[in-house]
Amino acid sequence: MEKLLFILKDFLVLFAEISILFVLVSVAVAYLNERYAKFFNEHLKKDSFVTYIKAVILGCLTPFCSCSSIPLLNAFLKAKVPLGVCIAYLITSPLINPIIVVMFVVSFGLKISLFYVGFLFCVILLLSFCVSKINTQIFFNEDFLKNDLEQKSSCCSNDNSSKKTCEKSKSMFETNLRKNKIKELFWQSFKEYKKILPYIIIGMGIGALIQGFFPEDFFQNYMKDYGVLGVFIAAFIGVLLYMNCTAMIPVALALTTSGIPLGIMMSFLIAGAGCSLPELILLKRIFKVSFLVLFASMIVFIAISFGLLMFFI
């Protein structure tokens, strides 16, 4: 009974966190996109390598877990930020931020911390830039693309009469936005939130169950003697769990001092913080299964690569 109450409490906390973040972040990004469109276009909407660096830096400054980063991802996609740039942010946000870096330095020392940040920074840039060379439209769900096209068609036509209507609509929109822009943007975000609500309920429910039933002594009992193979096993297990990197660093330190190889713990830490089953469920609202496989594979690749480096260094 006590465990069920713990799971229910976890579910309510996770559900409230994601719900509030989704609406507030959507409102904030939509407002900024309307007010500072030129700035937004200049810094995030260009498909250039510098833009990817900016996206990674933005991810470093937003201390979100894997699920909490979805609201900002959704808002970026609605604002027409390229998918490759969004991926750079999506991978970075739960894995690098000032809090994580400080905890890494305190727990594992400056050398490992700098190597962790430098390795992730370079690999995330490389992977996200490679994704940008694919036709990314194939990854989106038809519903998401349909909504996107409807928004475009409401104010995009080539004939003169449509342009006049478009300009008139734009002028009226700007007037209304000045009068009550926050309220209007809030209701737009709430409509988006209702579409993703079932995914949030399912995803957060699974996340709470995983946190409630995952055995605390798993690594001591099952992973201590696997050697290099443990790096691969830890990555594939971690990518399905739901954890916060900040909360897991002290646990990882305690487990490494008890004899668990650092490479195994780093592989598990990156995979578990960078991706999760609840996050994949939330992403399913936007993307096809092919993207979910690609995204999870990128996280597993990063986790295994860094884990192996830690194992042999």
Side-chain angles (χ1 to χ4, degrees):
M1 185 64 183
E2 186 178 338
K3 182 164 280 192
L4 288 175
L5 288 174
F6 174 79
I7 291 169
L8 179 61
K9 180 185 174 183
D10 257 9
F11 169 76
L12 292 174
V13 170
L14 294 170
F15 178 79
E17 177 187 316
I18 298 299
S19 297
I20 293 169
L21 271 174
F22 188 92
V23 175
L24 293 184
V25 168
S26 297
V27 170
V29 173
Y31 176 83
L32 291 172
N33 192 37
E34 289 291 340
R35 185 152 187 150
Y36 303 103
K38 186 177 178 181
F39 177 87
F40 218 70
N41 288 333
E42 183 180 341
H43 289 280
L44 281 178
K45 292 186 183 179
K46 289 181 180 178
D47 194 7
S48 66
F49 195 70
V50 175
T51 307
Y52 288 84
I53 295 175
K54 291 175 182 177
V56 172
I57 293 171
L58 176 64
C60 292
L61 297 175
T62 51
F64 293 145
C65 66
S66 59
C67 288
S68 300
S69 57
I70 302 297
L72 192 51
L73 169 73
N74 185 77
F76 280 165
L77 290 171
K78 291 291 182 184
K80 309 298 182 292
V81 174
L83 180 58
V85 177
C86 291
I87 289 174
Y89 157 76
L90 185 64
I91 298 177
T92 306
S93 182
L95 293 176
I96 308 174
N97 65 58
I99 300 170
I100 290 174
V101 173
V102 169
M103 292 190 70
F104 248 88
V105 172
V106 172
S107 301
F108 301 109
L110 183 61
K111 184 179 177 181
I112 290 178
S113 303
L114 290 175
F115 186 58
Y116 171 85
V117 173
F119 176 83
L120 261 63
F121 197 99
C122 294
V123 174
I124 290 169
L125 278 178
L126 178 63
L127 291 177
S128 57
F129 194 68
C130 288
V131 170
S132 70
K133 302 307 174 186
I134 307 171
N135 176 18
T136 54
Q137 292 294 305
I138 64 173
F139 293 129
F140 289 98
N141 282 331
E142 295 301 324
D143 288 346
F144 187 85
L145 291 175
K146 184 180 178 182
N147 291 337
D148 192 34
L149 288 171
E150 284 174 354
Q151 288 175 3
K152 286 181 182 178
S153 64
S154 65
C155 196
C156 289
S157 182
N158 292 326
D159 57 84
N160 292 330
S161 60
S162 294
K163 283 181 180 179
K164 289 178 181 178
T165 305
C166 227
E167 288 171 4
K168 186 178 178 181
S169 298
K170 186 177 178 182
S171 176
M172 289 175 64
F173 176 74
E174 287 173 351
T175 304
N176 291 332
L177 199 62
R178 281 193 294 270
K179 289 179 180 177
N180 212 348
K181 62 182 74 175
I182 299 299
K183 183 178 178 181
E184 186 168 338
L185 291 174
F186 173 82
W187 285 113
Q188 287 176 359
S189 299
F190 190 71
K191 287 178 183 177
E192 281 294 314
Y193 169 73
K194 287 196 294 185
K195 293 176 184 176
I196 203 171
L197 181 58
Y199 297 88
I200 293 177
I201 293 171
I202 295 169
M204 296 307 97
I206 291 174
L209 286 170
I210 289 171
Q211 290 194 56
F213 287 108
F214 188 74
E216 295 179 3
D217 56 354
F218 174 79
F219 282 92
Q220 292 94 326
N221 292 342
Y222 303 104
M223 298 294 293
K224 198 169 185 177
D225 303 317
Y226 272 95
V228 175
L229 182 60
V231 173
F232 292 84
I233 297 172
F236 283 103
I237 292 174
V239 82
L240 296 176
L241 302 181
Y242 179 64
M243 66 179 73
N244 188 304
C245 191
T246 307
M248 275 300 296
I249 291 173
V251 178
L253 177 63
L255 289 171
T256 52
T257 55
S258 70
I260 306 297
L262 182 60
I264 292 177
M265 283 314 308
M266 286 297 176
S267 178
F268 181 76
L269 190 68
I270 292 173
C275 183
S276 66
L277 187 56
E279 180 188 21
L280 294 175
I281 291 169
L282 290 174
L283 288 173
K284 185 66 181 70
R285 167 70 183 85
I286 303 170
F287 300 104
K288 294 178 181 176
V289 174
S290 57
F291 176 81
L292 305 186
V293 173
L294 175 66
F295 176 69
S297 299
M298 287 192 290
I299 299 297
V300 169
F301 172 77
I302 295 170
I304 291 174
S305 300
F306 189 75
L308 289 175
L309 286 172
M310 286 290 97
F311 205 94
F312 291 112
I313 288 178

